[in-house]
Amino acid sequence: MSRLFGTDGVRGLANGLLTAELALQLAQAAAVVLGHDRNMNGNRPRAVVARDPRASGEFLAAAVEAGLSSSGIDVYDAGVLPTPAAAYLVADLDADFGVMISASHNPAPDNGIKFFARGGQKLPDEVEDAIEEQLAKEPYRPVGGEVGRIQRFADAEDRYIVHLLGTLPHRLEGIKVVVDCAHGAASGCSPQVFKTAGAEVIIIGAEPDGLNINDGVGSTHLSPLKAAVVAHGADLGIAHDGDADRCLAVDHEGNEVDGDQIMAILALALKEAGKLKDDVLVATVMSNLGLKLALREADITLRETGVGDRYVLEAMREGGFSLGGEQSGHVIFAEYATTGDGVLTGLQLAAQVALTGRPLKELATVMTKLPQVLINVKDVDRSRVNGDEAVAEAVAKAQVRLGDTGRVLLRPSGTEPVVRVMVEAADLETAQEVADGLADVVRTELALAFVAD
């Protein structure tokens, strides 16, 4: 049986893989593993439940809350909120665990369920495995006064907003910002936070109807944001994804500022303020080589991890580091959050524009992005990527050709049935040529064997 949990919880087509029955069973299993087994104070365990505005989130949240309360867990229903808000509220309420129902940047038909442990921390693999094992066992079914109760977490959004405002190094008066909420979970709180911080705010992508999340807007579709920033003469634009754990940005001319550039700007700012622990930034191997070169120039060490914000978080916790993230816009501030927080990141970035008086375009010149080509190779055997000699030889030859001015990364995707071939080089033509050649080798050497009927 394949592992149910992926790189970020359980995710799939709502009412396909992810049914109400599975949601209820996962909640019952989590109630034992995260609630009763880990509750030390003798009181009834408590859990925070939140969701993004997908239509399927309504029945999945109902199923999760039914599973938890029927297993003796008191549920605090926080309604529609960003994933990082759910993580923060678990810690703020001192709850035993939390549940977020979202498929992040995926289209509306998908959904997902992820769990947070006490303190708002993501679960390690062994705890997810324990939940999967518990699925095969009899649920805990208390009766009478021992069943859990469900109550509305009425001030959940207000608590999160107050928390975000308390992180600001500088208010945003004089800054005009366009905020694109991807018709997602941040549609209520993100514009409110920027307004309360003093910015003039233009809002797009903030009319969720349950079906339009991530549809042509947000961090995966930046064109509307670029157009709005230029049309309104804004200083910058901020784009979230559906659950607002990501932030990408646009400068006043409509140029994209990706997660690597955002991390470079913020790392230098934290170092200047004496808040960058050991002068280290944690990022994944997918970050652009230009980030490493820029950090080296600033005497900041780049600590690299595998792909996925959970691995960034693990490295940050192990080293006690201040800042980490991914090129995709997951940025983690250890002082303020236990996961990527797109609203927090956007606030901190806008604050640097206000504090320095420098345009975002100028701030982003701290690093020069090397041309990067990414090819997703389908219909190949991902399991053989790291053991195939011909593939390894092709990668080695490509790296020799690129020398110190580029690099190759070839890996199986953790979220899609593809092998990712990424090449960076001093110029786009070379990067494309090398990537195409490697992709051809992968297709040839790792081709799936199809058996005729």
Side-chain angles (χ1 to χ4, degrees):
M1 177 181 173
S2 61
R3 192 170 188 268
L4 183 61
F5 282 86
T7 55
D8 199 16
V10 178
R11 189 178 297 184
L13 181 66
N15 253 359
L17 167 71
L18 191 54
T19 62
E21 293 85 354
L22 177 59
L24 184 141
Q25 292 164 1
L26 278 168
Q28 290 175 322
V32 173
V33 175
L34 299 175
H36 299 292
D37 285 357
R38 291 172 175 250
N39 184 275
M40 302 299 180
N41 59 23
N43 299 322
R44 191 153 54 210
R46 301 184 297 169
V48 174
V49 177
R51 63 180 179 89
D52 72 24
R54 292 166 208 267
S56 61
E58 297 168 3
F59 75 75
L60 290 172
V64 165
E65 293 179 1
L68 294 177
S69 58
S70 69
S71 298
I73 306 293
D74 282 341
V75 176
Y76 288 74
D77 182 349
V80 175
L81 278 180
T83 290
Y88 168 75
L89 291 167
V90 171
D92 192 51
L93 190 67
D94 194 26
D96 293 88
F97 64 102
V99 188
M100 180 68 195
I101 300 165
S102 173
S104 188
H105 59 282
N106 285 26
D110 292 342
N111 218 321
I113 298 176
K114 68 180 77 174
F115 296 95
F116 293 101
R118 180 178 288 277
Q121 302 290 339
K122 288 197 172 185
L123 305 187
D125 289 345
E126 58 268 23
V127 177
E128 291 180 341
D129 290 342
I131 293 174
E132 286 201 33
E133 291 174 7
Q134 182 63 34
L135 284 172
K137 301 177 182 178
E138 187 69 19
Y140 174 60
R141 292 193 177 97
V143 296
E146 296 303 311
V147 300
R149 307 297 296 272
I150 302 173
Q151 61 180 289
R152 176 77 174 125
F153 197 166
D155 63 341
E157 185 172 87
D158 290 339
R159 288 195 191 202
Y160 178 56
I161 289 174
V162 169
H163 160 66
L164 292 173
L165 293 171
T167 71
L168 275 175
H170 193 281
R171 286 186 57 81
L172 306 183
E173 277 82 8
I175 298 295
K176 182 187 288 189
V177 58
V178 181
V179 179
D180 183 347
C181 300
H183 297 311
S187 296
C189 64
S190 187
Q192 183 60 50
V193 168
F194 279 92
K195 288 177 182 177
T196 307
E200 179 183 349
V201 182
I202 294 93
I203 308 166
I204 66 173
E207 298 178 356
D209 62 9
L211 303 176
N212 61 358
I213 189 168
N214 301 314
D215 188 7
V217 288
S219 62
T220 52
H221 304 279
L222 289 177
S223 294
L225 179 62
K226 293 177 179 180
V229 168
V230 173
H232 290 278
D235 295 287
L236 73 158
I238 297 297
H240 303 307
D241 62 337
D243 68 337
D245 62 356
R246 295 187 187 192
C247 169
L248 294 181
V250 170
D251 68 23
H252 71 285
E253 294 182 353
N255 302 304
E256 178 181 347
V257 179
D258 70 12
D260 286 339
Q261 294 167 293
I262 291 171
M263 287 190 289
I265 293 168
L266 297 176
L268 266 65
L270 287 177
K271 182 180 180 183
E272 185 175 338
K275 292 185 176 181
L276 188 65
K277 174 70 162 39
D278 294 341
D279 290 340
V280 169
L281 172 70
V282 181
T284 77
V285 293
M286 288 297 288
S287 279
N288 193 280
L289 181 58
L291 175 62
K292 180 183 287 187
L293 298 177
L295 295 177
R296 183 186 301 165
E297 184 71 19
D299 292 324
I300 296 174
T301 300
L302 179 64
R303 181 71 60 87
E304 291 185 313
T305 75
V307 177
D309 65 334
R310 65 186 299 171
Y311 302 114
V312 175
L313 279 162
E314 287 174 7
M316 289 178 68
R317 284 199 295 265
E318 289 171 3
F321 300 125
S322 314
L323 184 68
E326 297 185 280
Q327 187 183 64
S328 60
H330 287 112
V331 179
I332 305 157
F333 292 82
E335 183 178 358
Y336 306 122
T338 58
T339 187
D341 190 328
V343 185
L344 173 62
T345 302
L347 277 177
Q348 298 296 322
L349 188 63
Q352 287 307 309
V353 174
L355 180 63
T356 63
R358 299 166 61 192
L360 178 57
K361 181 179 179 180
E362 182 181 336
L363 292 176
T365 60
V366 66
M367 71 165 278
T368 301
K369 292 170 62 177
L370 271 66
Q372 186 180 83
V373 172
L374 176 65
I375 299 176
N376 292 322
V377 185
K378 301 178 180 180
D379 300 325
V380 293
D381 186 351
R382 292 182 296 164
S383 66
R384 295 195 288 121
V385 170
N386 297 320
D388 188 273
E389 292 183 6
V391 171
E393 182 179 351
V395 169
K397 287 180 178 179
Q399 191 60 67
V400 169
R401 175 182 175 183
L402 296 171
D404 294 335
T405 62
R407 66 179 180 130
V408 173
L409 180 64
L410 193 149
R411 66 180 187 88
S413 170
T415 58
E416 299 177 73
V418 298
V419 170
R420 302 199 194 280
V421 177
M422 190 274 285
V423 176
E424 290 171 343
D427 61 87
L428 183 59
E429 184 179 353
T430 300
Q432 188 70 59
E433 182 181 334
V434 173
D436 286 339
L438 286 173
D440 286 342
V441 173
V442 170
R443 290 188 189 97
T444 301
E445 296 297 324
L446 305 183
L448 291 170
F450 293 99
V451 179
D453 292 335

